[in-house]
Structures are given as C-alpha cells and as structure tokens.
Amino acid sequence: MDVLCPDLIERARKMTRARSNNHPWLSMDDEELLRSAGLILLDHESRREGITLAAILLFGKDTTIMPALPQHKTDMIFRVQNLDRYDDRDVIVTNLLDSYDRMSEFAKKHLNDPFVLDGMQSVSARDAILREIISNSLAHRDYSSDYVAKMVIEKDRIFAESSNRTHGFGNLNLTTFEPFPKNPAISKVFREIGLADELGSGMRNTYKFTKLYSGGVPQFIEGDTFKTVIPLNGTATLKAGPKSWD
C-alpha cells in the first residue's frame, strides 16, 4: 500500500458522491476499497496477495509508475498553424486520474465551446465528446505495448490513438458493435467515479454529441491500434482577438 498515493484514493472516494451519497466506498478504508474494485488479487503461483498494475496506474505515485510501466505516456498535440511540428504540446506521464484532468484541460484550452441545445436543454457538446474519448483512451488501451498514446487536435479533426488488444479490424458500426472490456478493473473504477458510463454507451454518446458539435460523424477504427476520429468545423479551433497585419 505504501507505493500508492492515499490522496488519489480519497479523491476517488469523494468522486463517488456524484453518483450516490450512500456509495459503499464512502465507508471503506483504502484497502477495502481496492479489494472491492479488484485491485488487490492473489497470485496463484506464489500464493501471495498484491496490488495490481491497474492499481498502480490509477493510484500509484509517479515514482512507482515509471519503474513498473516505463512505456506509459500520453502525447497531447495541438497542430493548426505549424503543420510541420505543433503549436502546443503536453507529454503526460502520471496516474490515470491526473492524466484525465490534464488531457481534458489541454483540449478545452484549444477547442471552443459553442452554445448547443439538446432538445430544450443547453449542453456542452465539446465537454461530452472529450469525456468519452479521453476515458476510452485511458481505460481501454493496452498498457503492455510500447506504442505512445496520443491525442491530436487539428483544424478539421481530433484524433486519438492508442495501442489495442484487438477483437477485430476496420471501422466499427454503431448498430452492430459489441463492446468488449479491455481493462475491466480500470473501467470499473472509471464508472464508479463518474468518468465513464456503462460499456458501449461511449460510442453512442460520441455519435450524438459530435452531430451537435460539428454536424459530422465520428469514426472508430479498430486494429493493433484503436483510433477515434472526431470531425471539426471551422469554428472549433478559431481564435478571436486582434490580428497582426503585414
């Protein structure tokens, strides 16, 4: 337990209140919480218990994550003006809760949030899309691979790409897609703390909110890497303010 960060576990515990004031985690100590989430398991060969790699990714100190999973990294890139390199970048190497926050903050910094109505209710279609593609990238990637996960914002699209334990190849179809949990323990924690919904709902939500945000249709491409492509319109990355004239 001493290689984990108690503050992160407490943060997860508090986040469950958004779902229920009577959530079981609220009355559990840290070890009980980890056991209930399947993050402490028995190794059947050694007959010893220990925390899992999922526990380290979710709640580990940075000094614990790096030796255990040195390949863990997310590359955030904004590329609209400087097409040869990038306009802004953040390389994220930390636990999954802080990774989620930094990925979200980076994307929100560069994407506009126009007024959108879902029926009679005002919603942030931008934030809804980001929630789905960021949580999918973190919860379902293959952490044993050396492939560097990335999320790139360009003028006409966002694409997120990460290593994948594939169950098929090609474009996924919303009507025939059968969801398969890639990292069940991580997905469970994300659902409990409100960063994801039930398995399979993310694709439906992304379709819905992409239509509202840009009028386009997202793509989900499965293979050795999993790629999500969100089309953007001209206003998504448009910056208002003074121009310098030659």
Side-chain angles (χ1 to χ4, degrees):
M1 295 292 292
D2 60 353
V3 302
L4 303 181
C5 183
D7 290 347
L8 288 171
I9 300 175
E10 178 59 22
R11 177 177 161 194
R13 185 183 287 112
K14 289 180 178 178
M15 289 174 74
T16 62
R17 285 199 179 96
R19 297 188 61 203
S20 171
N21 288 326
N22 298 314
H23 194 284
W25 286 4
L26 297 174
S27 60
M28 293 181 183
D29 64 28
D30 289 355
E31 185 174 333
E32 290 172 334
L33 187 154
L34 294 178
R35 289 183 183 279
S36 75
L39 299 174
I40 295 177
L41 296 176
L42 176 70
D43 178 65
H44 293 287
E45 291 186 7
S46 66
R47 306 304 299 173
R48 295 175 60 188
E49 283 190 324
I51 61 171
T52 65
L53 285 174
I56 291 174
L57 281 164
L58 285 160
F59 303 125
K61 301 172 184 176
D62 288 353
T63 52
T64 303
I65 296 172
M66 283 298 89
L69 290 156
Q71 69 272 25
H72 169 49
K73 182 188 297 184
T74 304
D75 199 359
M76 299 290 293
I77 296 171
F78 177 67
R79 186 189 292 129
V80 171
Q81 300 296 329
N82 189 341
L83 302 183
D84 294 326
R85 298 188 69 207
Y86 52 81
D87 304 305
D88 193 12
R89 185 182 187 187
D90 188 12
V91 179
I92 302 170
V93 185
T94 190
N95 65 79
L96 299 190
L97 299 189
D98 288 336
S99 291
Y100 182 96
D101 287 347
R102 282 177 59 180
M103 291 173 73
S104 182
E105 288 167 8
F106 182 94
K108 289 177 182 179
K109 177 171 66 172
H110 294 297
L111 290 169
N112 294 319
D113 190 17
F115 178 78
V116 171
L117 281 175
D118 180 13
M120 299 294 290
Q121 184 176 3
S122 174
V123 296
S124 174
R126 178 201 65 179
D127 290 0
I129 293 167
L130 292 176
R131 175 181 181 266
E132 300 299 344
I133 60 176
I134 292 172
S135 63
N136 181 75
S137 172
L138 293 173
H140 298 301
R141 73 177 64 163
D142 178 7
Y143 285 98
S144 67
S145 170
D146 291 335
Y147 186 85
V148 176
K150 61 179 67 70
M151 181 171 161
V152 182
I153 300 171
E154 298 178 335
K155 185 176 182 180
D156 59 352
R157 67 173 185 167
I158 308 168
F159 73 87
E161 197 168 26
S162 58
S163 54
N164 182 45
R165 286 177 289 178
T166 185
H167 289 266
F169 289 89
N171 287 309
L172 299 182
N173 188 306
L174 181 63
T175 59
T176 59
F177 170 65
E178 295 184 7
F180 185 90
K182 308 292 177 60
N183 296 302
I186 295 174
S187 298
K188 174 181 172 64
V189 171
F190 270 41
R191 288 194 300 272
E192 295 297 332
I193 64 179
L195 297 185
D197 298 318
E198 289 304 312
L199 193 64
S201 64
M203 185 182 289
R204 293 191 298 273
N205 288 337
T206 306
Y207 266 93
K208 171 184 174 180
F209 288 107
T210 300
K211 278 284 189 182
L212 292 173
Y213 190 65
S214 67
V217 177
Q219 287 182 288
F220 304 89
I221 307 162
E222 182 154 26
D224 293 331
T225 62
F226 189 91
K227 187 172 183 178
T228 303
V229 182
I230 307 294
L232 299 176
N233 57 32
T235 62
T237 57
L238 184 68
K239 301 300 179 186
K243 286 186 178 180
S244 59
W245 301 93
D246 295 331

